[in-house]
Amino acid sequence: MSDYILHCFGQSGNAYKVALMLNLCGCDWQPRFVDFFNGETRSPAFRDSCNEMGEVPVLEHGGQRLSQSGAILTLLAERHGRFGGHDAGERYDILRWILFDNHKFTSYFATLRFMVGLKKMGESPVTEFLRGRALAAFDIVEKHLAKRSFMVGETPTIADISMVGYLYYPEDTGIDRSAFPNIDAWTRRIAALPGWAHPYDLMPREPG
């Protein structure tokens, strides 16, 4: 059995953040498919046995389970000594950007992608609101990356790994990504790291 088991499904960018970190660190891991679209995460069995929060990712290691991508990325950075920052100042800055990511950068964009790109729900005042908030978050990151290669310091960290989690998916969101050249260049720098792989190559999208 692999050292790590990641409960996940391919369409989840939050699960991809952890899958990518595991791959970049060269960990011995395997995905375990969770059938989100047929309600598995909402089932009492999943919530009782895997994650009471009813979400993926869930990382299993040594008989213990941990959920929430930011917590898992922090654990893996500490355990493997990679992507965790070079000093206390960088570590706090990493935490700052992960919180921003979970609250604004990933939050609005991921929900917009789910509604427009995956569920094909069409345009509504809700999608317009989400797109506006996502664009505002994109603007912040675009300006931050204008004079730097990575979010914190001179090398990639778990802040980058967290924040790129949804940016390699092909589904339409109605956002013109060409308007954000610094973000585009940044995603290409992350994709050039040894061990990088596309989310649909790392995690299954259906049982099998």
Side-chain angles (χ1 to χ4, degrees):
M1 179 179 290
S2 300
D3 289 342
Y4 294 99
I5 295 173
L6 178 63
H7 299 258
C8 61
F9 60 96
Q11 296 90 334
S12 169
N14 286 319
Y16 174 60
K17 299 172 185 185
V18 178
L20 179 58
M21 178 67 170
L22 289 165
N23 238 44
L24 292 174
C25 289
C27 297
D28 177 24
W29 73 281
Q30 67 183 67
R32 179 169 293 171
F33 177 73
V34 175
D35 197 354
F36 169 83
F37 290 100
N38 285 313
E40 184 176 351
T41 58
R42 297 179 291 281
S43 70
F46 181 88
R47 295 189 177 199
D48 289 344
S49 66
C50 191
N51 182 13
E52 63 184 344
M53 296 178 180
E55 299 173 332
V56 300
V58 176
L59 187 66
E60 189 174 340
H61 174 74
Q64 296 184 326
R65 293 189 177 96
L66 182 64
S67 66
Q68 295 296 321
S69 61
I72 299 171
L73 291 175
T74 302
L75 178 146
L76 291 172
E78 291 176 355
R79 180 172 290 164
H80 296 283
R82 300 191 64 190
F83 305 110
H86 294 101
D87 54 36
E90 286 195 0
R91 286 191 288 274
Y92 284 119
D93 207 17
I94 288 168
L95 176 60
R96 183 173 73 102
W97 283 108
I98 288 177
L99 291 172
F100 172 82
D101 178 41
N102 289 342
H103 181 55
K104 292 186 175 180
F105 191 69
T106 278
S107 176
Y108 294 115
F109 183 71
T111 307
L112 178 66
R113 168 181 170 260
F114 179 80
M115 294 179 69
V116 174
L118 291 175
K119 300 299 286 185
K120 311 294 184 185
M121 297 172 68
E123 291 297 321
S124 69
V126 174
T127 59
E128 291 177 8
F129 169 79
L130 291 170
R131 189 173 294 111
R133 298 294 286 176
L135 285 168
F138 270 56
D139 280 336
I140 290 169
V141 177
E142 177 73 9
K143 290 175 183 176
H144 183 73
L145 290 169
K147 297 181 179 179
R148 64 186 67 228
S149 296
F150 301 103
M151 294 303 299
V152 176
E154 301 300 320
T155 58
T157 68
I158 53 174
D160 301 281
I161 295 169
S162 180
M163 294 178 69
V164 298
Y166 279 86
L167 300 184
Y168 298 108
Y169 286 97
E171 292 84 13
D172 180 45
T173 60
I175 290 178
D176 179 9
R177 294 278 296 277
S178 68
F180 302 96
N182 296 328
I183 290 177
D184 180 65
W186 169 59
T187 61
R188 286 187 277 110
R189 283 191 288 275
I190 300 299
L193 296 175
W196 182 90
H198 190 275
Y200 289 153
D201 293 328
L202 286 180
M203 302 178 295
R205 287 181 276 179
E206 57 189 23

